[in-house]
Amino acid sequence: MNVTRKQERLLKRALAEWEQEGALSADEHQRLAGSLKRVAMDWQRLSRYAFWTALACVIIAFGSLFADSELMERIIAFFSFSSVARIGLPAVLAVVFYLWGFSRQRRETQWHYSTEAILFLGVLFTAIALWQLGERLDNGSGHIAPLFLAGCAVYGLVGFFGRSGLVWLFFLLSLGNWFGAETGYMSGWGAYWLGMNYPVRFIFFGGALLALCWWLRTMLIKRNLYTTSKAMGLTYLFVALWIMSIFGNYDIDNWYGVTRAALLPWALLFAVAAIVCIYISLKTDDGMLRGFGLTFLAINLYTRYFEYFWDGMNKVIFFLILAASLAVIGRYAERIWHAGTQRASVD
């Protein structure tokens, strides 16, 4: 069995514990450990990182293209004879890349990351086509949400049927952009929609996305889209909670007169959400939930420190108090862990 160095270390530790508990004999332990073959290079991970870097370079190249005003003027002048060409050409290229990606996926299922890269190029040209379509249909109303919704439809269908987590990611990003643009348009681009500013709206949006992710988890797991969906739901939720802990449900004009005490409930809600996330991760051994919970709990603590204690408390004292509180939590968790280990050994 070919394994990476990390997998080999984990499996050998498990085999040693099973032998110690009597679940395996010494001969079985030796036979199973001997079947592990460490690979010198994790080629799968290298392939993933290489394609990710390549796609990032493509995005940077397009960004540099749009930043080059002289070159953009030449391109616009070349296509100035027809607005349909400016829309149709990238649309045709997007369809070509989608068809190529689907065909490659059916014929050569082992080439996963290269197929993802091809489908992503389709996403890129779809975005350009929608941008040009928006330029063509612009009547000054500022209602751009339908363009994001059209992108959602394309990216969602391609990501779902193509089992592409990368394209599905852009579907979820477009969905968030559509939600923000649509609610902004409905509110007349004011600060509030149904009494909620943007961060509050995205707290509900992220929560709804997580609820749908859980409800449709069986289908999403089959399409290899569950992890991406859950990560994006958590990102929307926690980033919105973080912004809420700083600004509350206030617009910029009123925020300057808000006291810190008025923002404290939002900071506590942010902390509770992170702690609940960590608690669930410990119950379910979910690494993603644990990562989000710990990361945003730390962000919350640092944000509160800069808000409340940066000028008034010595930095050494603050971090010593923080270290002591975390040590108490760690000691409590260690006691529970040892109690569980002793109970298992008795059983």
Side-chain angles (χ1 to χ4, degrees):
M1 180 181 180
N2 293 327
V3 294
T4 63
R5 182 181 287 105
K6 182 178 180 180
Q7 292 170 338
E8 181 188 33
R9 188 164 58 247
L10 180 63
L11 290 172
K12 285 187 174 180
R13 185 186 307 160
L15 291 173
E17 290 183 1
W18 288 339
E19 182 186 1
Q20 186 177 3
E21 294 171 359
L24 287 178
S25 64
D27 292 338
E28 289 173 327
H29 179 189
Q30 186 175 3
R31 178 176 59 82
L32 292 173
S35 66
L36 302 176
K37 183 179 179 182
R38 183 196 302 175
V39 294
M41 173 73 73
D42 190 349
W43 295 106
Q44 180 183 11
R45 182 172 297 180
L46 177 61
S47 172
R48 181 170 69 247
Y49 291 164
F51 277 111
W52 283 357
T53 306
L55 293 176
C57 290
V58 170
I59 294 174
I60 293 172
F62 272 91
S64 301
L65 171 64
F66 294 132
D68 191 333
S69 57
E70 182 178 351
L71 184 57
M72 281 299 298
E73 287 177 3
R74 292 180 181 179
I75 295 174
I76 292 172
F78 180 77
F79 287 104
S80 61
F81 67 93
S82 173
S83 60
V84 176
R86 293 200 299 270
I87 301 169
L89 181 59
V92 169
L93 288 173
V95 171
V96 168
F97 280 116
Y98 289 143
L99 292 177
W100 183 16
F102 279 118
S103 174
R104 184 181 176 87
Q105 191 177 61
R106 285 194 302 270
R107 290 183 290 104
E108 305 172 16
T109 56
Q110 71 273 25
W111 304 113
H112 175 69
Y113 297 120
S114 57
T115 303
E116 289 255 290
I118 293 169
L119 292 174
F120 172 77
L121 292 176
V123 168
L124 196 59
F125 282 106
T126 300
I128 294 174
L130 291 173
W131 165 47
Q132 287 301 310
L133 179 63
E135 293 280 343
R136 179 70 177 81
L137 300 178
D138 184 20
N139 58 6
S141 67
H143 194 197
I144 60 174
L147 293 175
F148 288 120
L149 192 59
C152 287
V154 174
Y155 303 152
L157 289 172
V158 172
F160 184 81
F161 290 105
R163 301 172 184 264
S164 172
L166 184 61
V167 179
W168 190 255
L169 170 64
F170 279 87
F171 158 69
L172 296 173
L173 289 171
S174 295
L175 190 64
N177 284 322
W178 165 79
F179 177 75
E182 185 64 29
T183 57
Y185 178 77
M186 293 172 64
S187 66
W189 302 110
Y192 297 100
W193 175 71
L194 299 180
M196 299 180 291
N197 64 5
Y198 273 101
V200 175
R201 297 176 219 173
F202 275 93
I203 290 175
F204 288 104
F205 180 81
L209 187 57
L210 285 173
L212 283 173
C213 178
W214 175 254
W215 183 41
L216 302 173
R217 64 188 181 281
T218 303
M219 180 183 64
L220 292 174
I221 289 172
K222 288 181 180 179
R223 312 302 298 187
N224 299 322
L225 304 174
Y226 178 70
T227 300
T228 303
S229 302
K230 185 169 69 170
M232 284 304 300
L234 288 168
T235 300
Y236 280 124
L237 176 66
F238 276 106
V239 171
L241 283 170
W242 178 38
I243 297 174
M244 284 300 302
S245 72
I246 300 173
F247 296 101
N249 192 22
Y250 302 98
D251 59 18
I252 295 297
D253 295 333
N254 295 326
W255 176 71
Y256 289 103
V258 175
T259 63
R260 291 173 178 173
L263 296 174
L264 186 59
W266 294 108
L268 292 176
L269 177 63
F270 184 22
V272 168
I275 292 170
V276 168
C277 198
I278 296 170
Y279 176 78
I280 295 174
S281 74
L282 295 175
K283 287 287 188 179
T284 60
D285 194 26
D286 190 318
M288 181 184 293
L289 288 177
R290 181 168 57 249
F292 269 90
L294 291 172
T295 300
F296 281 95
L297 181 60
I299 290 174
N300 191 9
L301 291 172
Y302 274 101
T303 304
R304 303 290 77 77
Y305 168 64
F306 283 106
E307 280 187 351
Y308 294 98
F309 304 115
W310 181 254
D311 296 323
M313 179 181 287
N314 184 277
K315 284 69 177 174
V316 176
I317 296 175
F318 173 82
F319 284 103
L320 283 177
I321 294 174
L322 181 60
S325 61
L326 292 175
V328 170
I329 296 173
R331 177 58 180 163
Y332 178 72
E334 187 180 44
R335 188 176 303 165
I336 295 175
W337 170 46
H338 284 303
T341 305
Q342 293 171 0
R343 191 181 304 113
S345 62
V346 171
D347 295 340

